[in-house]
Amino acid sequence: DVKVTQSSRYLVKRTGEKVFLECVQDMDHENMFWYRQDPGLGLRLIYFSYDVKMKEKGDIPEGYSVSREKKERFSLILESASTNQTSMYLCASKSSGGYTFGSGTRLTVV
Amino acid sequence: QKEVEQDPGPLSVPEGAIVSLNCTYSNSAFQYFMWYRQYSRKGPELLMYTYSSGNKEDGRFTAQVDKSSKYISLFIRDSQPSDSATYLCAMWKTSYDKVIFGPGTSLSVIP
């Protein structure tokens, strides 16, 4: 089975901090995604990547950036964390059979 | 109009009931359809995956796609308290497209 691992389950950060969320997949998938999930708003796509060093903006990229230096690793960066970025962040890896999600990182910005 | 619509619930049923979860969509180009189950504070996990129209069964779960009506369903037979979760439908046009998710339906199965 494909495994997608997110490095942290819970994070608490201060406003203005630079935050790194890490995601690693073990099945050599080309396509990786970052979503945030908020009550009533569902899953919203932040960024995705279809190859190493390639990235594409999703629906809500403002305040975020990403890095994909290696195929298995896709990082989400909050340049200057704000309270409205408090959310559940989900990383996913895609194959022809659909998405595999990580367990999520619940980020609280105080 | 949103591309994918799903009643958010919450839906509460007694143990052993048959549950029907549904999504409607507007883009007739969607070909691949999935159902994800998400337990509280966890990431979604793939439950069922179907291509084009028809039915697919896996144990107590049956996924149904009606492309003519742009309507997909997930049926759960003999529902269990462990089925209590949020169920998300998802779909896409080709393997090169991003996946579109429904907002999810919250289900509680009461013992």
Side-chain angles (χ1 to χ4, degrees):
Chain A
D1 282 351
V2 177
K3 194 167 182 182
V4 177
T5 303
Q6 293 184 233
S7 54
S8 304
R9 290 297 308 277
Y10 300 95
L11 276 179
V12 180
K13 296 291 181 181
R14 295 194 180 278
T15 302
E17 276 193 78
K18 191 168 186 175
V19 181
F20 294 85
L21 303 183
E22 305 287 345
C23 175
V24 177
Q25 52 100 356
D26 65 358
M27 280 298 289
D28 204 36
H29 288 162
E30 293 178 344
N31 299 321
M32 296 185 74
F33 303 79
W34 275 105
Y35 287 86
R36 64 178 282 178
Q37 187 177 34
D38 301 285
L41 297 176
L43 284 162
R44 292 184 291 168
L45 181 63
I46 304 171
Y47 266 97
F48 63 102
S49 168
Y50 50 86
D51 205 346
V52 176
K53 297 194 186 294
M54 306 299 283
K55 60 184 178 183
E56 294 284 341
K57 292 180 180 179
D59 300 318
I60 51 161
E62 295 78 21
Y64 303 94
S65 63
V66 290
S67 172
R68 185 125 183 243
E69 296 296 318
K70 292 184 178 181
K71 197 172 189 178
E72 67 270 20
R73 186 179 297 270
F74 190 34
S75 303
L76 180 70
I77 304 156
L78 284 67
E79 298 291 343
S80 177
S82 64
T83 54
N84 63 13
Q85 292 180 309
T86 291
S87 186
M88 172 75 141
Y89 289 88
L90 289 159
C91 174
S93 169
K94 181 171 176 274
S95 69
S96 58
Y99 279 18
T100 299
F101 283 90
S103 295
T105 297
R106 185 164 292 278
L107 173 68
T108 302
V109 182
V110 297
Chain B
Q1 183 187 10
K2 291 182 180 177
E3 276 196 286
V4 180
E5 306 224 34
Q6 188 176 5
D7 187 336
L11 182 62
S12 184
V13 301
E15 183 175 355
I18 296 175
V19 177
S20 172
L21 304 168
N22 310 296
C23 285
T24 58
Y25 61 93
S26 56
N27 191 336
S28 58
F30 286 133
Q31 298 188 78
Y32 300 87
F33 304 92
M34 296 172 287
W35 286 95
Y36 284 83
R37 177 176 61 195
Q38 186 176 20
Y39 291 116
S40 181
R41 303 183 189 280
K42 296 283 181 68
E45 56 177 328
L46 183 63
L47 199 57
M48 299 284 283
Y49 169 70
T50 54
Y51 170 70
S52 197
S53 284
N55 291 359
K56 184 175 182 179
E57 190 172 320
D58 183 1
R60 296 184 295 110
F61 298 89
T62 299
Q64 196 171 79
V65 175
D66 182 349
K67 291 191 73 180
S68 62
S69 302
K70 300 195 192 76
Y71 190 88
I72 68 170
S73 300
L74 178 70
F75 297 97
I76 307 174
R77 290 184 300 281
D78 187 26
S79 56
Q80 303 295 308
S82 59
D83 295 327
S84 298
T86 296
Y87 290 80
L88 301 150
C89 64
M91 53 198 75
W92 81 87
K93 291 174 280 185
T94 74
S95 60
Y96 300 101
D97 289 324
K98 65 179 182 179
V99 175
I100 307 298
F101 287 89
T105 298
S106 175
L107 171 68
S108 292
V109 181
I110 311 301

